[in-house]
Amino acid sequence: MPQFAPVTPDVVAELEEIVGAKYVIHSEPDLSVYGRDETEDLQYAAEVAVRPDATDQVARIMKLAHDRGICVTPRGAGTGLSGGALPVFGGIVLCVDRMNRILELDEDNLVVRVQPGVITGVLQDTVAEKGLYYPPDPASHGSCMIGGNIAENAGGPHCVKYGLTKDYVLSLEAVMPNGDVFRTGGKLKKDVAGYNLTQLLVGSEGTLAVVTEATLRLIPMPTVKRTILAPFDSLDTAAKGIVAVYQSRIIPAALELVEKAALEAAEEHLGRKVPYGDAEAQILLELDGYDEEAVDRDLMRAGEVLLEAGALDAMLADTPAKTTELWTVRKCLGEAVKKQAAYIECDTAVPPDKVPDLLRGVRKVAAEYGIQQISYGHAGDGNIHVNVLTDSPDLEERERQLRPAVKAILQVSVDLGGTITGEHGVGCAQSRYLHMCRDDIALAAMRSIKDAFDPKGILNPGKVLPAEVPPPVAAGSVAQA
Amino acid sequence: MPQFAPVTPDVVAELEEIVGAKYVIHSEPDLSVYGRDETEDLQYAAEVAVRPDATDQVARIMKLAHDRGICVTPRGAGTGLSGGALPVFGGIVLCVDRMNRILELDEDNLVVRVQPGVITGVLQDTVAEKGLYYPPDPASHGSCMIGGNIAENAGGPHCVKYGLTKDYVLSLEAVMPNGDVFRTGGKLKKDVAGYNLTQLLVGSEGTLAVVTEATLRLIPMPTVKRTILAPFDSLDTAAKGIVAVYQSRIIPAALELVEKAALEAAEEHLGRKVPYGDAEAQILLELDGYDEEAVDRDLMRAGEVLLEAGALDAMLADTPAKTTELWTVRKCLGEAVKKQAAYIECDTAVPPDKVPDLLRGVRKVAAEYGIQQISYGHAGDGNIHVNVLTDSPDLEERERQLRPAVKAILQVSVDLGGTITGEHGVGCAQSRYLHMCRDDIALAAMRSIKDAFDPKGILNPGKVLPAEVPPPVAAGSVAQA
């Protein structure tokens, strides 16, 4: 395992000089917040957390860490699901939450310039006031930050039509591991001047550079939204409904799948019955656009396609209130599953027509290993979140019970032409599986890029690329989570 | 300048062993074809050209070159405009034109898998038969190849709505400079397993690896297309019309600008008058979609917006024949300008609302340097092709007359927040200007990536990154071009 220099009192003093003493956190209980994110219930021990307010402060922090050989873990809101923000080797946690300004909303060019600590939902609401739309919408959009979204190339339900975070990042300002600041471009949709550093940084999980500013593309806000809920009496039929939608050439704005165990978890979480809660599976299909009649015509056609594919019903939501009601179930699932038991989440993604095979494979694995699983997700993208559960709050016991099944489920995904992570990122939680879907040459190329950007290996070590990392200092019980 | 090993007879023999003697070109006149592309009229001297038929042949060629220290220039159709396919240091030209198979058209997942030698237009026609659409459409789409499109991240008129080549590449198979073969992913829209090698390779101009297979995303083919031609009595008013379209939140499928000098060149080229050929400038706006009534409503609104912005007319094309007629003018411009005189093309791109300033700046530069210029292009993306002309067929004379103006025009673009190349690529033609729009830190990062992938520097040397390259062996007269 790599060795890093410790955070000594004089380093803390220098950090205080850079950002002000108020924004350097070096003692409990406040420090422990910076040792966890939303990845299961893992807890690591940061040595110090620092909250810069400007790019030059980030640059000075990185230079200090680089000169001293101290590792740095960049952090946004800490809502990640793959441990990208966990300080697995201790060191400095560099939290960008104070860099939360929307620097420029350029309505003529449909572009917004933001700092990394802007909350995604705040950005979305701000641009919506001008009739504009920033589509990437991870489940945590109410609390997650753009910097983290960029680091992880965050997805969400509407990516099936509108693309991922990467599809909205036009250019970045970032700080290299040694403190050098650079920009990758401007407010341009077309710019092929040199290698695409923008797209290399998006999804690099804060291991290559620290993003300090982003220029994002916006689109006109769709003025019409319609949602259909389609219950099915078998998971397999529902999965085939997904393919039928593609075959019909309908372009859904969202196409989600929820299986019965997830519906039950939702009912327990919400404390009430949900529409068609006894279905074996549900499809939630959203259509949107700028022309009411056109969207309504598509809506009718989509309903017919789903009924022909075997849906028991096609329940339409044509008012905001009804739409919210249908989406409530889907949106609470992350929390609902978390409340049920300790779990490990498999962020599988396969070609959409392989979703039926994926779900069959997952059930087979669950039966074989005798574990409970709950599946739901962005089926239109083939991206299914499979949560495997255990009642044991003990980390070692949980690992022993679930880890073989997790690996088998990811192998099902890979064998179907899929990946080990569709939208959550690799972080430290999935890096041991990366070799399952990337060959040795590709992995060596990634490693060489990391070495080129960060020869000392101080920036977010133990993430993305396979690496041995220390065990967490604690893993809480289900009650903690 | 770097030194490479020569292509000796035994190397030629080995190449013949790999691909068959028929597909190794090592003598004139056939060899000279591989020494030029569509970048002005520059001619270099390849030592040998080789036309592999499969990935393993590409791998063996690269391993041979790598072992011997011979440089390799990958080549598709040779339609590039920045010299990406020019063998500036001689060596081996690796032409992928025989790798021209559409390997799989997956209608259920809206994905196509192709070899790099597939002609873009052939791909488009093939998927269109299934009601599917591959939008990137560089002017050369009838002859250019997907491999070259990927290398250069090619654009085209419809990118303003649908995005560039990069937005359609889901994953790649590629060969490293040392001959190692790797894949970057699968048929997945969501896949965040490690660094985004796919997007790093797209637009890297064949300097990092040779693409041997691409998995491309498709979308349902729009069923309705409408075009408006709007003439203006001043270039400035026309440019403001572009901004007005954005402000109105209309989403054009194409938004092109043609100035009077270009209209004149078109009339000369076509040998007839063109509609509103005496206008100072024209906007060509296309709308498309899947619902006739919705598109027609947008069409009416777009016409009103353009008229309010000062258009003299808004001429609608609502049949395929009329649409083709309106587009004929725009599409012939590359050829039309080429026929007029020797030229250097500046592939400027600025934020769309800066197009008026760009055009004013270009005219100022032209006046200052006493040169003729013709501007047209993808104004909706802010991407304007500015051609500066000279009557001199002599290369040195042309350089002396035009080069200072070229640099000044690119500086206008950069000063407006723009770039030195929007869609043509850097190649060897623009690499001297790269520093104008990328800072030293970004350039050093690019250089470190190149060194990581290609430590021997044998793959497409003299491209993208600033480098001294030998002069062309010849530059033809205007008549040649």
Side-chain angles (χ1 to χ4, degrees):
Chain A
M1 273 192 273
Q3 294 291 320
F4 300 100
V7 176
T8 51
D10 66 309
V11 169
V12 172
E14 274 202 57
L15 291 172
E16 288 180 341
E17 202 271 311
I18 295 169
V19 301
K22 193 173 161 190
Y23 300 112
V24 178
I25 300 95
H26 52 84
S27 57
E28 298 301 343
D30 295 346
L31 187 57
S32 67
V33 170
Y34 298 94
R36 56 176 180 264
D37 62 7
E38 294 292 327
T39 309
E40 304 158 35
D41 50 6
L42 307 178
Q43 172 83 48
Y44 281 87
E47 290 167 78
V48 65
V50 55
R51 302 172 59 210
D53 184 36
T55 300
D56 74 294
Q57 293 181 3
V58 175
R60 288 176 68 195
I61 294 164
M62 287 313 305
K63 188 172 180 335
L64 170 64
H66 188 261
D67 289 350
R68 301 291 188 104
I70 299 166
C71 67
V72 175
T73 304
R75 181 186 179 90
T79 54
L81 297 170
S82 57
L86 293 177
V88 293
F89 290 100
I92 299 169
V93 170
L94 193 165
C95 185
V96 297
D97 63 337
R98 291 177 63 223
M99 297 176 72
N100 62 358
R101 287 179 285 280
I102 295 176
L103 300 168
E104 181 190 8
L105 174 47
D106 179 346
E107 291 185 69
D108 290 346
N109 292 306
L110 307 189
V111 157
V112 65
R113 252 183 344 112
V114 298
Q115 289 186 312
V118 171
I119 289 173
T120 308
V122 170
L123 170 66
Q124 287 170 326
D125 293 346
T126 304
V127 304
E129 282 172 24
K130 305 291 183 181
L132 296 172
Y133 183 34
Y134 176 75
D137 55 348
S140 56
H141 61 89
S143 53
C144 65
M145 292 171 185
I146 287 294
N149 290 182
I150 290 168
E152 304 294 330
N153 188 13
H158 292 97
C159 295
V160 68
K161 177 169 180 178
Y162 291 106
L164 302 156
T165 300
K166 77 174 170 62
D167 299 308
Y168 292 84
V169 183
L170 295 178
S171 65
L172 297 168
E173 177 194 76
V175 178
M176 292 289 278
N178 69 357
D180 284 343
V181 181
F182 67 106
R183 297 189 80 92
T184 66
K187 293 199 268 185
L188 303 170
K189 282 207 278 188
K190 276 182 169 173
D191 185 357
V192 292
Y195 301 148
N196 197 334
L197 298 180
T198 309
Q199 291 298 326
L200 178 61
L201 292 186
V202 177
S204 67
E205 309 192 14
T207 63
L208 299 178
V210 181
V211 169
T212 47
E213 189 187 307
T215 301
L216 306 171
R217 182 169 81 89
L218 303 171
I219 59 174
M221 176 65 88
T223 48
V224 192
K225 266 183 201 289
R226 300 282 187 267
T227 304
I228 297 178
L229 174 70
F232 288 81
D233 63 5
S234 96
L235 188 54
D236 213 46
T237 315
K240 283 175 189 159
I242 303 289
V243 180
V245 170
Y246 272 98
Q247 287 171 334
S248 73
R249 303 284 189 259
I250 290 166
I251 302 175
L255 186 52
E256 300 284 310
L257 181 73
V258 182
E259 72 160 345
K260 190 172 191 176
L263 293 172
E264 288 167 355
E267 290 193 334
E268 203 178 311
H269 178 72
L270 297 170
R272 60 176 170 83
K273 292 282 168 197
V274 303
Y276 290 105
D278 55 350
E280 282 298 314
Q282 294 184 353
I283 285 179
L284 203 59
L285 182 145
E286 187 177 285
L287 296 169
D288 70 6
Y290 304 92
D291 188 286
E292 189 157 7
E293 292 170 35
V295 174
D296 280 336
R297 273 192 286 273
D298 274 356
L299 186 76
M300 289 304 142
R301 196 156 65 89
E304 283 163 21
V305 165
L306 289 170
L307 288 170
E308 276 166 30
L312 302 172
D313 190 7
M315 188 178 162
L316 306 185
D318 51 5
T319 66
K322 283 189 207 165
T323 304
T324 303
E325 164 64 11
L326 292 191
W327 275 98
T328 299
V329 177
R330 170 63 188 87
K331 287 191 171 170
C332 82
L333 289 177
E335 286 301 309
V337 170
K338 206 174 205 177
K339 243 166 63 176
Q340 284 222 332
Y343 68 97
I344 299 178
E345 187 166 353
C346 307
D347 180 30
T348 65
V350 295
D353 75 337
K354 293 294 189 292
V355 168
D357 298 318
L358 174 69
L359 294 171
R360 267 194 297 271
V362 166
R363 290 189 164 200
K364 206 173 144 214
V365 169
E368 203 175 317
Y369 289 85
I371 52 149
Q372 198 200 337
Q373 64 85 21
I374 299 181
S375 297
Y376 61 91
H378 317 300
D381 284 322
N383 182 202
I384 304 289
H385 303 312
V386 180
N387 293 270
V388 295
L389 311 181
T390 173
D391 292 331
S392 171
D394 178 69
L395 180 67
E396 276 183 44
E397 174 68 11
R398 181 172 78 197
E399 285 291 310
R400 200 186 55 71
Q401 284 182 5
L402 300 183
R403 195 54 68 183
V406 165
K407 199 177 168 193
I409 287 166
L410 294 177
Q411 193 62 54
V412 170
S413 178
V414 170
D415 288 346
L416 291 167
T419 180
I420 61 150
T421 176
E423 61 174 11
H424 291 172
V426 178
C428 55
Q430 325 295 341
S431 66
R432 75 194 91 177
Y433 308 119
L434 190 58
H435 69 94
M436 293 168 64
C437 66
R438 292 292 182 267
D439 58 51
D440 289 348
I441 310 302
L443 289 176
M446 291 181 198
R447 171 70 65 191
S448 75
I449 293 167
K450 169 68 177 175
D451 291 343
F453 275 71
D454 183 19
K456 286 194 175 183
I458 59 159
L459 191 57
N460 214 0
K463 309 299 168 62
V464 184
L465 293 163
E468 198 187 342
V469 298
V473 294
S477 67
V478 179
Q480 263 193 324
Chain B
M1 273 192 273
Q3 294 292 320
F4 300 100
V7 176
T8 52
D10 66 308
V11 169
V12 172
E14 276 201 57
L15 291 173
E16 288 179 341
E17 203 270 311
I18 295 170
V19 302
K22 194 173 159 190
Y23 302 112
V24 177
I25 300 96
H26 52 85
S27 57
E28 297 302 341
D30 295 346
L31 187 57
S32 68
V33 170
Y34 299 95
R36 55 176 180 263
D37 62 6
E38 295 291 329
T39 310
E40 303 158 36
D41 50 5
L42 306 178
Q43 173 83 48
Y44 281 86
E47 290 167 76
V48 65
V50 56
R51 301 172 58 211
D53 185 35
T55 300
D56 74 294
Q57 293 181 2
V58 175
R60 289 176 66 195
I61 295 163
M62 287 313 306
K63 187 173 181 333
L64 171 63
H66 189 260
D67 289 350
R68 301 292 189 104
I70 299 166
C71 66
V72 176
T73 304
R75 181 186 178 91
T79 54
L81 298 170
S82 56
L86 293 176
V88 292
F89 290 100
I92 300 169
V93 169
L94 193 165
C95 185
V96 297
D97 63 338
R98 292 177 63 223
M99 297 175 71
N100 61 359
R101 286 180 284 279
I102 295 176
L103 300 169
E104 181 189 8
L105 175 46
D106 179 345
E107 291 185 68
D108 289 346
N109 293 306
L110 307 190
V111 158
V112 65
R113 252 182 345 112
V114 297
Q115 290 187 312
V118 172
I119 290 173
T120 308
V122 170
L123 170 67
Q124 288 170 324
D125 292 346
T126 304
V127 305
E129 282 172 24
K130 307 291 183 182
L132 296 172
Y133 184 34
Y134 176 75
D137 55 347
S140 56
H141 61 89
S143 54
C144 66
M145 293 170 186
I146 287 294
N149 289 181
I150 291 169
E152 302 295 331
N153 188 14
H158 292 99
C159 296
V160 67
K161 177 171 180 178
Y162 291 107
L164 302 156
T165 299
K166 77 175 169 64
D167 299 308
Y168 292 85
V169 183
L170 296 178
S171 65
L172 297 169
E173 177 193 74
V175 178
M176 291 290 277
N178 69 356
D180 284 343
V181 182
F182 66 107
R183 297 190 80 93
T184 66
K187 294 198 268 185
L188 304 170
K189 281 206 281 187
K190 276 183 171 173
D191 185 357
V192 291
Y195 301 149
N196 198 334
L197 298 180
T198 309
Q199 291 299 326
L200 178 62
L201 292 185
V202 176
S204 66
E205 308 191 16
T207 63
L208 299 179
V210 182
V211 170
T212 47
E213 189 188 306
T215 301
L216 306 171
R217 183 168 79 88
L218 303 170
I219 59 175
M221 176 66 86
T223 49
V224 192
K225 266 183 202 289
R226 300 282 186 268
T227 303
I228 298 178
L229 174 70
F232 288 81
D233 63 5
S234 97
L235 187 55
D236 212 47
T237 315
K240 282 175 190 158
I242 304 288
V243 180
V245 171
Y246 273 99
Q247 286 171 333
S248 74
R249 303 284 190 261
I250 289 166
I251 302 176
L255 185 52
E256 301 286 307
L257 181 73
V258 181
E259 72 159 344
K260 190 173 192 175
L263 292 172
E264 288 167 356
E267 290 192 335
E268 203 177 310
H269 178 72
L270 297 170
R272 60 176 169 83
K273 292 282 170 197
V274 304
Y276 290 105
D278 54 349
E280 282 299 314
Q282 294 185 353
I283 284 180
L284 203 58
L285 182 145
E286 188 177 285
L287 296 169
D288 69 6
Y290 304 92
D291 189 286
E292 189 157 7
E293 292 170 35
V295 174
D296 280 337
R297 270 192 287 273
D298 273 356
L299 187 75
M300 289 305 142
R301 197 156 64 90
E304 284 163 20
V305 166
L306 290 169
L307 288 169
E308 276 167 29
L312 302 173
D313 190 7
M315 189 179 163
L316 306 185
D318 51 6
T319 66
K322 283 190 208 165
T323 303
T324 303
E325 164 63 12
L326 293 191
W327 275 98
T328 299
V329 177
R330 169 64 188 87
K331 287 192 171 169
C332 81
L333 289 176
E335 286 302 309
V337 170
K338 207 174 204 177
K339 242 167 60 177
Q340 284 224 330
Y343 67 97
I344 298 178
E345 187 166 354
C346 306
D347 180 31
T348 63
V350 294
D353 74 337
K354 294 292 189 293
V355 168
D357 298 319
L358 175 69
L359 295 170
R360 266 193 298 269
V362 166
R363 293 191 159 198
K364 205 171 147 215
V365 169
E368 202 174 317
Y369 289 84
I371 51 149
Q372 199 201 334
Q373 63 85 22
I374 300 182
S375 297
Y376 60 91
H378 318 299
D381 284 322
N383 182 203
I384 303 290
H385 303 313
V386 181
N387 292 271
V388 294
L389 311 180
T390 172
D391 291 330
S392 170
D394 178 69
L395 179 66
E396 276 182 43
E397 175 67 12
R398 181 172 78 198
E399 285 292 311
R400 202 187 53 72
Q401 284 183 5
L402 300 183
R403 195 55 69 184
V406 165
K407 196 175 170 196
I409 287 166
L410 294 177
Q411 192 64 54
V412 170
S413 179
V414 170
D415 288 346
L416 292 167
T419 179
I420 60 150
T421 176
E423 60 175 13
H424 291 173
V426 177
C428 56
Q430 325 294 342
S431 65
R432 75 194 91 177
Y433 308 120
L434 191 56
H435 69 94
M436 292 167 65
C437 66
R438 293 291 181 267
D439 59 50
D440 289 347
I441 309 302
L443 289 175
M446 291 181 198
R447 171 70 67 192
S448 74
I449 293 168
K450 169 69 176 170
D451 291 344
F453 274 72
D454 184 18
K456 284 194 175 183
I458 59 160
L459 191 57
N460 214 1
K463 310 299 168 62
V464 184
L465 293 163
E468 199 187 340
V469 299
V473 294
S477 66
V478 179
Q480 265 194 323

